[in-house]
Amino acid sequence: CLWKEKLGINSSFQDYGDKRLEIIDFGIFDKKDEITNIITKNEEFLIRLKVKINQKIKSPIFAYTIKDKKGTELTGTNTFIEEIDTEGLEQDNTYIVSFKQNASLQGGEYLLSLGVTGFEGDNLAVYHRLYDITYLTILSDKNTVGYYDMYADIDIVAI
């Protein structure tokens, strides 16, 4: 069974790229390592990509972004920014790339995008992108102002 079959897929997602590297499966995993679109605020969760290397690429970049319903990119990262070495991935092999993070977004619904790109000279090549592929719901019993909770401690002292 594919991970993505257990997720709610956005009907208007975009799938593009030359697929020299191809995202063949993906999932969102909660702290119990169960596949879900629903994460509790401030809990650790994983985003996993299963990527097939159809053609050897020197240093591919694996990425995700999270947007709000209005299309504003709120957060994301990639292996290039995080300085993760991706050289040496072998053609015809499949790899699982895992992003582990804390759900510090406010409660609400978001869209997840996934991608595999790389630099060829000065140009960015898109191998495979799944843009707005699935929903991510953050459950919260306490929200604050804005997108993120800074987990402020408040102290009031009489003087």
Side-chain angles (χ1 to χ4, degrees):
C1 177
L2 295 173
W3 300 332
K4 63 186 175 185
E5 291 175 352
K6 296 182 180 181
L7 296 174
I9 302 299
N10 177 15
S11 61
S12 60
F13 78 93
Q14 297 175 37
D15 179 340
Y16 60 95
D18 63 25
K19 297 192 180 173
R20 287 183 274 168
L21 283 81
E22 182 177 3
I23 301 167
I24 58 173
D25 201 7
F26 58 88
I28 301 168
F29 296 80
D30 65 14
K31 68 179 183 176
K32 296 176 185 171
D33 206 33
E34 294 175 358
I35 298 171
T36 182
N37 287 84
I38 302 170
I39 301 295
T40 302
K41 181 178 168 182
N42 201 33
E43 288 189 355
E44 205 169 75
F45 72 104
L46 288 161
I47 296 169
R48 287 188 179 124
L49 312 176
K50 196 177 288 183
V51 179
K52 175 96 167 51
I53 311 298
N54 295 319
Q55 181 180 329
K56 184 154 176 64
I57 301 294
K58 185 178 177 189
S59 295
I61 300 168
F62 303 96
Y64 81 88
T65 57
I66 297 174
K67 299 187 322 187
D68 66 12
K69 288 183 179 182
K70 297 176 186 174
T72 304
E73 287 188 352
L74 303 176
T75 190
T77 194
N78 65 52
T79 52
F80 182 76
I81 291 170
E82 302 294 338
E83 298 180 356
I84 304 298
D85 182 11
T86 61
E87 285 194 42
L89 302 182
E90 297 296 324
Q91 184 170 332
D92 299 324
N93 282 355
T94 300
Y95 296 87
I96 294 174
V97 180
S98 298
F99 295 93
K100 182 172 150 181
Q101 55 277 307
N102 186 295
S104 59
L105 284 165
Q106 300 291 24
E109 285 196 2
Y110 302 93
L111 286 167
L112 177 66
S113 296
L114 307 169
V116 185
T117 62
F119 288 105
E120 295 180 359
D122 291 335
N123 299 319
L124 184 68
V126 176
Y127 306 124
H128 196 189
R129 277 197 180 141
L130 296 173
Y131 204 70
D132 297 341
I133 187 66
T134 190
Y135 300 98
L136 172 63
T137 300
I138 305 293
L139 296 180
S140 176
D141 59 0
K142 178 187 94 61
N143 279 324
T144 57
V145 177
Y147 295 114
Y148 288 92
D149 192 336
M150 298 295 289
Y151 295 97
D153 285 324
I154 299 173
D155 190 26
I156 299 173
V157 179
I159 54 173

Coordinates of all heavy atoms in Angstrom, one line a residue, residues 8-65:
G8 N -5.5 12.7 2.2 CA -6.4 13.4 1.3 C -5.6 14.2 0.3 O -4.8 15.0 0.7
I9 N -5.8 13.9 -0.9 CA -5.1 14.6 -2.0 C -5.9 15.7 -2.5 O -7.1 15.6 -2.7 CB -4.8 13.6 -3.2 CG1 -4.0 12.4 -2.7 CG2 -4.0 14.3 -4.3 CD1 -2.6 12.7 -2.1
N10 N -5.2 16.9 -2.7 CA -5.9 18.1 -3.2 C -6.2 17.8 -4.7 O -5.3 17.5 -5.5 CB -4.9 19.2 -3.1 CG -5.4 20.5 -3.6 OD1 -6.6 20.7 -4.0 ND2 -4.5 21.5 -3.8
S11 N -7.4 18.0 -5.1 CA -7.9 17.7 -6.5 C -7.2 18.7 -7.5 O -7.2 18.4 -8.7 CB -9.4 17.8 -6.6 OG -9.9 19.1 -6.2
S12 N -6.7 19.9 -7.0 CA -6.2 20.8 -8.0 C -4.6 20.9 -7.9 O -4.0 21.9 -8.2 CB -6.8 22.2 -7.8 OG -6.6 22.7 -6.5
F13 N -4.0 19.9 -7.4 CA -2.5 19.9 -7.3 C -1.9 19.9 -8.7 O -2.5 19.6 -9.7 CB -2.0 18.7 -6.5 CG -2.0 17.4 -7.3 CD1 -0.8 17.0 -7.9 CD2 -3.1 16.5 -7.3 CE1 -0.8 15.7 -8.6 CE2 -3.1 15.3 -7.9 CZ -1.9 14.9 -8.6
Q14 N -0.6 20.3 -8.8 CA 0.1 20.3 -10.0 C 1.3 19.3 -9.9 O 2.0 19.3 -8.9 CB 0.7 21.7 -10.3 CG -0.4 22.8 -10.5 CD 0.2 24.1 -10.6 OE1 1.3 24.3 -11.2 NE2 -0.4 25.1 -10.1
D15 N 1.5 18.6 -11.0 CA 2.5 17.6 -11.1 C 3.3 17.9 -12.3 O 2.8 17.8 -13.4 CB 1.9 16.2 -11.2 CG 2.8 15.0 -11.3 OD1 4.0 15.2 -11.7 OD2 2.4 13.9 -11.0
Y16 N 4.6 18.3 -12.1 CA 5.4 18.6 -13.3 C 6.9 18.3 -13.0 O 7.3 18.1 -11.9 CB 5.2 20.1 -13.7 CG 5.5 21.1 -12.7 CD1 6.8 21.7 -12.7 CD2 4.6 21.5 -11.7 CE1 7.0 22.7 -11.7 CE2 4.9 22.4 -10.8 CZ 6.1 23.1 -10.8 OH 6.4 24.0 -9.9
G17 N 7.7 18.4 -14.1 CA 9.1 18.1 -14.1 C 9.4 17.1 -15.1 O 8.6 16.4 -15.6
D18 N 10.7 16.9 -15.3 CA 11.2 15.9 -16.3 C 11.3 14.5 -15.8 O 11.5 13.6 -16.5 CB 12.5 16.4 -17.0 CG 13.7 16.5 -16.0 OD1 13.7 15.8 -15.0 OD2 14.6 17.2 -16.3
K19 N 11.2 14.3 -14.5 CA 11.1 13.1 -13.8 C 12.4 12.2 -13.9 O 12.4 11.0 -13.8 CB 9.9 12.3 -14.1 CG 8.6 13.0 -13.7 CD 7.4 12.1 -13.8 CE 6.2 12.9 -13.3 NZ 5.0 12.2 -13.5
R20 N 13.5 12.9 -14.1 CA 14.8 12.2 -14.0 C 15.0 11.6 -12.6 O 15.6 10.6 -12.4 CB 16.0 13.1 -14.4 CG 16.0 13.4 -15.9 CD 17.2 14.2 -16.3 NE 16.9 15.6 -16.1 CZ 17.8 16.6 -16.2 NH1 19.1 16.3 -16.3 NH2 17.4 17.8 -16.0
L21 N 14.4 12.4 -11.6 CA 14.2 11.9 -10.3 C 12.7 12.0 -10.1 O 12.2 13.0 -10.4 CB 15.0 12.7 -9.2 CG 16.5 12.4 -9.2 CD1 17.2 13.1 -10.2 CD2 17.0 12.7 -7.8
E22 N 12.1 11.0 -9.5 CA 10.6 11.0 -9.5 C 10.1 10.6 -8.1 O 10.6 9.7 -7.5 CB 10.1 9.9 -10.5 CG 8.6 9.8 -10.6 CD 8.2 8.8 -11.6 OE1 9.0 8.2 -12.2 OE2 7.0 8.7 -11.8
I23 N 9.2 11.5 -7.6 CA 8.6 11.2 -6.3 C 7.5 10.2 -6.5 O 6.5 10.5 -7.2 CB 8.0 12.5 -5.7 CG1 9.1 13.6 -5.5 CG2 7.3 12.2 -4.4 CD1 8.5 15.0 -5.2
I24 N 7.8 8.9 -6.1 CA 6.8 7.9 -6.3 C 5.8 7.6 -5.2 O 4.8 7.0 -5.4 CB 7.5 6.5 -6.7 CG1 8.5 6.1 -5.6 CG2 8.3 6.7 -8.0 CD1 9.1 4.7 -5.8
D25 N 6.2 8.2 -4.0 CA 5.3 8.1 -2.9 C 5.7 9.2 -1.9 O 6.8 9.8 -1.9 CB 5.3 6.8 -2.2 CG 4.1 6.4 -1.4 OD1 3.1 7.2 -1.4 OD2 4.2 5.4 -0.7
F26 N 4.7 9.5 -1.0 CA 5.0 10.5 0.1 C 4.0 10.3 1.2 O 3.0 9.7 1.0 CB 4.9 12.0 -0.5 CG 3.5 12.2 -1.1 CD1 2.5 12.7 -0.3 CD2 3.3 12.0 -2.4 CE1 1.2 13.0 -0.9 CE2 2.0 12.2 -3.0 CZ 1.0 12.7 -2.2
G27 N 4.3 10.8 2.4 CA 3.4 10.7 3.5 C 3.8 11.8 4.6 O 4.9 12.3 4.6
I28 N 2.8 12.0 5.4 CA 2.9 12.8 6.6 C 2.7 11.9 7.7 O 1.7 11.1 7.8 CB 1.9 14.0 6.6 CG1 2.0 14.9 5.4 CG2 2.0 14.8 8.0 CD1 0.8 15.8 5.3
F29 N 3.7 11.8 8.7 CA 3.7 10.9 9.8 C 3.6 11.6 11.1 O 4.5 12.5 11.3 CB 4.9 10.0 9.7 CG 4.9 9.1 8.4 CD1 5.3 9.6 7.2 CD2 4.5 7.8 8.5 CE1 5.4 8.9 6.1 CE2 4.5 7.0 7.3 CZ 4.9 7.5 6.1
D30 N 2.7 11.2 12.0 CA 2.6 11.9 13.3 C 3.7 11.3 14.2 O 4.5 10.4 13.8 CB 1.2 11.7 13.9 CG 0.8 10.3 14.2 OD1 1.6 9.4 14.2 OD2 -0.4 10.1 14.3
K31 N 3.6 11.7 15.5 CA 4.6 11.3 16.5 C 4.6 9.8 16.8 O 5.6 9.2 17.3 CB 4.5 12.0 17.8 CG 3.2 11.7 18.6 CD 3.2 12.6 19.8 CE 2.0 12.2 20.7 NZ 2.0 12.9 21.9
K32 N 3.5 9.1 16.4 CA 3.4 7.6 16.5 C 3.8 6.9 15.3 O 3.7 5.7 15.1 CB 2.0 7.2 16.9 CG 1.5 7.8 18.2 CD 0.1 7.4 18.5 CE -0.4 8.1 19.8 NZ -1.9 7.9 19.9
D33 N 4.3 7.7 14.3 CA 4.8 7.2 13.0 C 3.6 6.6 12.2 O 3.8 5.7 11.4 CB 5.9 6.1 13.1 CG 6.7 6.1 11.9 OD1 6.9 7.2 11.2 OD2 7.2 5.0 11.5
E34 N 2.4 7.2 12.4 CA 1.2 6.8 11.6 C 0.9 7.9 10.5 O 1.1 9.1 10.8 CB 0.0 6.7 12.5 CG 0.2 5.5 13.5 CD -1.0 5.4 14.5 OE1 -1.9 6.3 14.5 OE2 -0.9 4.5 15.3
I35 N 0.5 7.4 9.4 CA 0.2 8.4 8.3 C -1.1 9.1 8.6 O -2.1 8.5 8.9 CB 0.1 7.6 6.9 CG1 1.4 6.9 6.6 CG2 -0.3 8.5 5.8 CD1 1.4 5.9 5.5
T36 N -1.0 10.4 8.4 CA -2.2 11.3 8.7 C -2.0 12.7 8.0 O -0.9 13.1 7.7 CB -2.4 11.4 10.2 OG1 -3.5 12.2 10.4 CG2 -1.2 12.1 10.9
N37 N -3.1 13.3 7.8 CA -3.1 14.7 7.4 C -3.3 15.7 8.6 O -3.3 16.9 8.4 CB -4.2 15.0 6.4 CG -4.0 14.4 5.0 OD1 -4.3 13.3 4.8 ND2 -3.4 15.2 4.1
I38 N -3.5 15.1 9.7 CA -3.8 15.9 10.9 C -2.7 15.7 12.0 O -2.4 14.6 12.4 CB -5.1 15.4 11.5 CG1 -6.2 15.6 10.5 CG2 -5.5 16.3 12.8 CD1 -7.6 15.0 10.8
I39 N -2.1 16.9 12.3 CA -1.0 16.9 13.3 C -1.4 17.8 14.4 O -2.0 18.9 14.2 CB 0.3 17.4 12.7 CG1 0.7 16.5 11.5 CG2 1.5 17.5 13.7 CD1 1.1 15.1 11.8
T40 N -1.1 17.5 15.7 CA -1.4 18.3 16.8 C -0.2 19.4 16.9 O 0.9 19.0 16.8 CB -1.5 17.5 18.1 OG1 -2.5 16.5 17.9 CG2 -1.8 18.4 19.3
K41 N -0.7 20.6 17.2 CA 0.3 21.7 17.3 C 1.3 21.4 18.4 O 1.0 20.8 19.4 CB -0.5 23.0 17.7 CG 0.4 24.2 17.9 CD -0.5 25.4 18.2 CE 0.3 26.6 18.7 NZ -0.6 27.7 19.0
N42 N 2.6 21.8 18.0 CA 3.7 21.6 18.9 C 4.2 20.2 19.0 O 5.1 19.9 19.9 CB 3.5 22.2 20.3 CG 4.9 22.5 20.9 OD1 5.8 22.9 20.3 ND2 4.9 22.4 22.2
E43 N 3.7 19.3 18.2 CA 4.2 17.9 18.2 C 5.2 17.7 17.0 O 5.0 18.3 16.0 CB 3.1 16.9 18.2 CG 2.3 16.8 19.5 CD 1.3 15.7 19.5 OE1 1.1 15.0 18.5 OE2 0.7 15.5 20.6
E44 N 6.1 16.8 17.2 CA 7.0 16.5 16.2 C 6.3 15.6 15.1 O 5.5 14.8 15.4 CB 8.2 15.7 16.8 CG 9.4 15.7 16.0 CD 10.6 15.1 16.9 OE1 10.6 13.9 17.0 OE2 11.4 15.9 17.4
F45 N 6.6 15.9 13.8 CA 6.1 15.1 12.8 C 7.1 14.9 11.6 O 8.1 15.7 11.6 CB 4.7 15.6 12.3 CG 4.8 16.9 11.5 CD1 4.7 16.9 10.1 CD2 5.0 18.1 12.1 CE1 4.7 18.0 9.3 CE2 5.1 19.3 11.4 CZ 4.9 19.3 10.0
L46 N 6.9 14.0 10.7 CA 7.7 13.7 9.6 C 7.0 13.9 8.3 O 5.8 13.6 8.2 CB 8.2 12.3 9.6 CG 9.2 11.9 10.7 CD1 9.3 10.4 10.9 CD2 10.6 12.4 10.3
I47 N 7.7 14.5 7.3 CA 7.3 14.4 5.9 C 8.3 13.6 5.2 O 9.5 13.8 5.3 CB 7.3 15.9 5.3 CG1 6.3 16.8 6.1 CG2 7.0 15.8 3.8 CD1 6.4 18.2 5.7
R48 N 7.8 12.5 4.6 CA 8.7 11.6 3.9 C 8.4 11.6 2.4 O 7.2 11.6 2.0 CB 8.5 10.2 4.4 CG 9.1 10.0 5.8 CD 9.1 8.5 6.2 NE 9.7 8.3 7.5 CZ 9.1 7.8 8.5 NH1 7.9 7.3 8.4 NH2 9.7 7.7 9.7
L49 N 9.4 11.5 1.6 CA 9.3 11.3 0.1 C 10.0 10.0 -0.2 O 11.1 9.7 0.3 CB 10.1 12.4 -0.6 CG 9.9 13.9 -0.2 CD1 10.8 14.8 -1.0 CD2 8.4 14.3 -0.4
K50 N 9.4 9.3 -1.1 CA 10.1 8.1 -1.7 C 10.4 8.5 -3.1 O 9.5 8.8 -3.9 CB 9.1 6.9 -1.6 CG 9.8 5.6 -1.8 CD 8.9 4.4 -1.7 CE 8.4 4.2 -0.3 NZ 7.5 3.0 -0.2
V51 N 11.7 8.5 -3.4 CA 12.2 9.1 -4.7 C 13.0 8.0 -5.4 O 13.9 7.4 -4.9 CB 13.1 10.3 -4.4 CG1 13.6 10.9 -5.8 CG2 12.3 11.4 -3.7
K52 N 12.6 7.8 -6.7 CA 13.3 6.9 -7.6 C 14.2 7.7 -8.4 O 13.9 8.7 -9.0 CB 12.2 6.2 -8.5 CG 12.8 5.3 -9.6 CD 12.8 3.9 -9.1 CE 13.1 2.9 -10.2 NZ 14.2 3.0 -11.1
I53 N 15.5 7.2 -8.5 CA 16.5 7.9 -9.3 C 16.5 7.2 -10.7 O 17.0 6.1 -10.9 CB 17.9 7.7 -8.6 CG1 17.9 8.1 -7.1 CG2 19.0 8.5 -9.4 CD1 17.5 9.5 -6.8
N54 N 15.9 7.9 -11.6 CA 15.8 7.4 -13.0 C 17.0 7.8 -13.8 O 17.3 7.1 -14.8 CB 14.5 7.9 -13.7 CG 13.3 7.4 -13.0 OD1 13.2 6.2 -12.6 ND2 12.3 8.3 -12.8
Q55 N 17.7 8.8 -13.4 CA 19.0 9.2 -14.1 C 19.9 9.8 -13.0 O 19.4 10.6 -12.2 CB 18.7 10.2 -15.2 CG 19.9 10.7 -15.9 CD 19.6 11.7 -17.0 OE1 18.5 11.7 -17.6 NE2 20.5 12.6 -17.2
K56 N 21.1 9.4 -13.0 CA 22.1 9.9 -12.0 C 22.2 11.4 -12.1 O 22.5 11.9 -13.2 CB 23.4 9.2 -12.1 CG 24.4 9.7 -11.0 CD 25.4 8.6 -10.7 CE 26.4 9.1 -9.7 NZ 25.8 9.3 -8.4
I57 N 22.0 12.1 -11.0 CA 22.2 13.6 -10.9 C 23.2 13.9 -9.9 O 23.2 13.2 -8.8 CB 20.8 14.2 -10.6 CG1 19.7 13.9 -11.6 CG2 20.9 15.7 -10.4 CD1 19.9 14.5 -13.0
K58 N 24.1 14.8 -10.1 CA 25.2 15.1 -9.2 C 24.7 15.4 -7.7 O 25.1 14.7 -6.8 CB 26.1 16.2 -9.7 CG 27.3 16.4 -8.8 CD 28.2 17.5 -9.4 CE 29.4 17.7 -8.4 NZ 30.1 18.9 -8.8
S59 N 24.0 16.4 -7.5 CA 23.6 16.7 -6.1 C 22.1 17.2 -6.1 O 21.8 18.4 -6.1 CB 24.5 17.9 -5.6 OG 25.8 17.4 -5.4
P60 N 21.2 16.3 -6.2 CA 19.7 16.7 -6.2 C 19.4 17.4 -4.9 O 20.0 17.2 -3.8 CB 19.0 15.4 -6.4 CG 19.9 14.3 -5.9 CD 21.3 14.8 -6.2
I61 N 18.3 18.2 -5.0 CA 17.8 19.0 -3.8 C 16.4 18.5 -3.6 O 15.5 18.5 -4.5 CB 17.8 20.5 -4.1 CG1 19.2 21.0 -4.4 CG2 17.2 21.2 -3.0 CD1 19.3 22.4 -5.0
F62 N 16.2 18.0 -2.4 CA 14.9 17.5 -1.9 C 14.2 18.6 -1.1 O 14.9 19.1 -0.2 CB 15.0 16.2 -1.2 CG 15.7 15.1 -2.0 CD1 17.1 14.9 -1.8 CD2 15.0 14.3 -2.9 CE1 17.7 13.9 -2.6 CE2 15.7 13.4 -3.6 CZ 17.0 13.2 -3.5
A63 N 13.0 18.9 -1.3 CA 12.4 20.0 -0.6 C 10.9 19.8 -0.3 O 10.2 19.0 -0.9 CB 12.5 21.2 -1.5
Y64 N 10.4 20.6 0.7 CA 9.0 20.8 0.9 C 8.7 22.2 1.3 O 9.6 22.9 1.8 CB 8.5 19.8 2.1 CG 8.8 20.3 3.5 CD1 7.8 21.1 4.1 CD2 9.9 19.9 4.2 CE1 8.1 21.6 5.4 CE2 10.1 20.4 5.4 CZ 9.2 21.2 6.0 OH 9.4 21.7 7.3
T65 N 7.5 22.6 1.0 CA 7.0 23.9 1.5 C 5.6 23.8 2.0 O 4.8 22.9 1.5 CB 7.0 25.0 0.4 OG1 6.2 24.6 -0.7 CG2 8.4 25.4 -0.1

